[in-house]
Amino acid sequence: MRLREFWQLVDEVFGRGVGRALAREQVLGALGDRTPVEALEAGIQPRDVWHALCDAMDVPDARRWGPGRRRNAPPPSR
């Protein structure tokens, strides 16, 4: 996943305003107690940040790629 795709999904799944606020303000333990923006700036892969955000917000796998998309998100890299 590219950074551009991460932001597109944030906007589609959470809505632009709410999604951008979550990315700036939601501190996630799975990201080392960083916000998604801080994690991206620290070099964590966008796919891993996306999964951490979706997990924290209880987004089901079927919705992680945005409305109307029928595929599941690839698993986080390990």
Side-chain angles (χ1 to χ4, degrees):
M1 171 185 289
R2 296 174 190 224
L3 189 57
R4 172 184 49 80
E5 294 169 312
F6 171 85
W7 288 112
Q8 180 181 0
L9 287 170
V10 165
D11 292 347
E12 288 179 14
V13 173
F14 298 108
R16 184 171 175 87
V18 171
R20 299 295 171 124
L22 284 172
R24 285 189 317 272
E25 300 171 12
Q26 185 71 38
V27 176
L28 303 175
L31 299 175
D33 293 326
R34 297 179 180 109
T35 68
V37 169
E38 291 169 337
L40 292 167
E41 290 172 349
I44 297 175
Q45 292 296 312
R47 175 180 57 197
D48 296 331
V49 175
W50 178 243
H51 279 286
L53 180 59
C54 287
D55 289 347
M57 302 307 295
D58 293 323
V59 176
D61 286 341
R63 287 196 51 233
R64 290 187 183 204
W65 283 107
R69 297 184 185 171
R70 297 279 184 219
R71 61 184 178 148
N72 289 331
S77 58
R78 302 279 169 174

